[in-house]
Amino acid sequence: MAASLQLPMASSIPSSSSPSTTRPIFKTHCSMKPTCSAKIPMPPINPKDPFLSKLASVAATSPERLLQRPSGSDSLPFLDIFDSPKLMATPAQVERSVSYNEHRPRRPPPDLPSLLLHGRIVYIGMPLVPAVTELVIAELMYLQWMDPKEPVYVYINCTGTTRDDGERVGMETEGFAIYDAMMQLKNEIHTVAVGAAIGQACLLLAAGTKGKRFMMPHAKAMIQQPRVPSSGLMPASDVLIRAKEVITNRDTLVKLLAKHTGNSEETVSTVMRRPYYMDSTKAKEFGVIDKILWRGQEKIMADVLSPEEWDKNAGIQVVDGI
């Protein structure tokens, strides 16, 4: 068998593990004798691979270029045989989306408001303090920049510039700032009350596009006069100045509510003398909203008697209101 095989060494290529170690590559030449039937298997070479094809061609024609590599060469192994070496045939294409989550996300979102913002939803779920005002106005401006023709949906569950216990936490200008930003937008603004819309938040609810102001069936709306901040050890003259400013803000709030609800300023001013709570039905009657978001609510609410009619039919005598 040894006599029938001629195994001349064509070239040897250093292995990837160590440059000094060589692995022989053999060519098999079988004689025409019928007794020669054994062949040494050779690893297949992909003809579509330009690097391996070029390497095989150099190994067959001038193996010394592979065997006699200079020591301390800074070039990567076997790349110096190319005139213009390229690591990739074409550069990688990176897909860039216009906005976050345009395609299926491959990692968790930065935060939940970002996902809501992608759906053009601005959620006001905290009292109107400077940080909330800054975020809401920025989101409104961003949505107009993205598309000035698509509507913006403002979901409101906010106690305005006060907490639920009535303590003031923000200035009335916080609500007026969001209101002015809403009025400057070119987009339609759909407002939805999903919990409570109290004070300045009720103004934002009523300031939506006419016909696009909604309320959940069990949400509450309430309008009230602005509150004087705590005076503490403030001088009497400063207390008077702040009281005048609160009265000015109250008059502005009355004018804006009258404008968006369709009521007279006298009517709004009268009901605002004390906190005026409204359920979804009363809010619709008062002009704060246009529709209650409840499946089948039109027929159900039409069949429900008002509290006064229910008391009358039940024979309950109504005492003078407090």
Side-chain angles (χ1 to χ4, degrees):
M1 179 65 70
S4 62
L5 291 179
Q6 298 178 3
L7 302 176
M9 179 182 296
S11 63
S12 60
I13 302 179
S15 63
S16 58
S17 60
S18 174
S20 60
T21 305
T22 58
R23 182 181 62 184
I25 297 180
F26 299 96
K27 287 186 178 180
T28 58
H29 298 281
C30 185
S31 62
M32 299 303 295
K33 297 179 182 180
T35 58
C36 181
S37 60
K39 292 183 179 181
I40 297 178
M42 296 293 295
I45 296 179
N46 185 4
K48 297 183 180 180
D49 192 322
F51 180 80
L52 294 181
S53 299
K54 179 71 174 179
L55 197 63
S57 175
V58 172
T61 56
S62 55
E64 65 278 357
R65 295 185 60 183
L66 300 179
L67 298 177
Q68 301 175 0
R69 297 190 69 254
S71 60
S73 177
D74 296 333
S75 61
L76 296 178
F78 309 134
L79 285 182
D80 52 348
I81 64 176
F82 292 90
D83 296 332
S84 299
K86 294 181 180 180
L87 293 179
M88 301 180 66
T90 57
Q93 301 295 328
V94 180
E95 182 180 3
R96 299 184 182 272
S97 59
V98 177
S99 61
Y100 178 78
N101 199 27
E102 182 178 350
H103 303 286
R104 183 180 298 275
R106 294 186 175 89
R107 56 186 178 183
D111 50 4
L112 185 57
S114 297
L115 291 182
L116 295 179
L117 190 64
H118 179 73
R120 305 189 66 82
I121 296 175
V122 177
Y123 178 58
I124 307 176
M126 296 179 64
L128 300 180
V129 296
V132 175
T133 303
E134 177 187 5
L135 176 62
V136 171
I137 294 178
E139 290 179 338
L140 292 175
M141 293 190 298
Y142 172 77
L143 291 176
Q144 179 183 236
W145 175 78
M146 286 294 296
D147 194 339
K149 297 181 180 179
E150 288 293 321
V152 177
Y153 304 92
V154 180
Y155 285 69
I156 301 173
N157 182 20
C158 176
T159 58
T161 55
T162 61
R163 295 192 309 190
D164 53 355
D165 58 359
E167 182 180 352
R168 179 174 173 175
V169 294
M171 299 180 62
E172 302 300 319
T173 52
E174 304 296 338
F176 292 145
I178 298 177
Y179 171 83
D180 290 338
M182 292 172 60
M183 294 298 100
Q184 293 297 322
L185 292 186
K186 302 177 182 178
N187 310 70
E188 279 191 353
I189 300 180
H190 299 194
T191 55
V192 184
V194 296
I198 297 175
Q200 292 278 354
C202 187
L203 171 63
L204 301 181
L205 174 62
T209 304
K210 194 69 174 179
K212 306 296 183 180
R213 304 172 301 175
F214 308 99
M215 197 170 183
M216 294 296 182
H218 300 100
K220 294 289 183 180
M222 190 265 278
I223 52 178
Q224 62 181 352
Q225 297 188 46
R227 296 179 178 270
V228 180
S230 177
S231 58
L233 301 177
M234 190 180 301
S237 58
D238 293 355
V239 173
L240 180 60
I241 293 174
R242 293 209 172 192
K244 290 181 179 179
E245 179 64 20
V246 171
I247 293 175
T248 302
N249 291 335
R250 181 201 62 186
D251 295 340
T252 303
L253 183 60
V254 168
K255 291 179 181 179
L256 295 178
L257 284 172
K259 171 185 175 182
H260 292 285
T261 60
N263 298 295
S264 63
E265 294 183 15
E266 292 76 14
T267 302
V268 177
S269 179
T270 300
V271 299
M272 277 182 57
R273 290 177 181 175
R274 301 299 297 171
Y276 184 66
Y277 286 88
M278 296 172 283
D279 58 11
S280 56
T281 305
K282 286 186 178 181
K284 182 178 180 181
E285 294 174 356
F286 196 75
V288 176
I289 63 171
D290 303 301
K291 186 178 179 181
I292 305 171
L293 289 179
W294 190 8
R295 292 184 178 180
Q297 58 84 23
E298 292 85 357
K299 182 178 184 303
I300 295 176
M301 300 304 288
D303 297 338
V304 175
L305 298 177
S306 63
E308 293 77 10
E309 293 177 350
W310 190 92
D311 292 341
K312 182 179 180 179
N313 295 340
I316 300 176
Q317 184 178 0
V318 180
V319 185
D320 292 340
I322 300 177

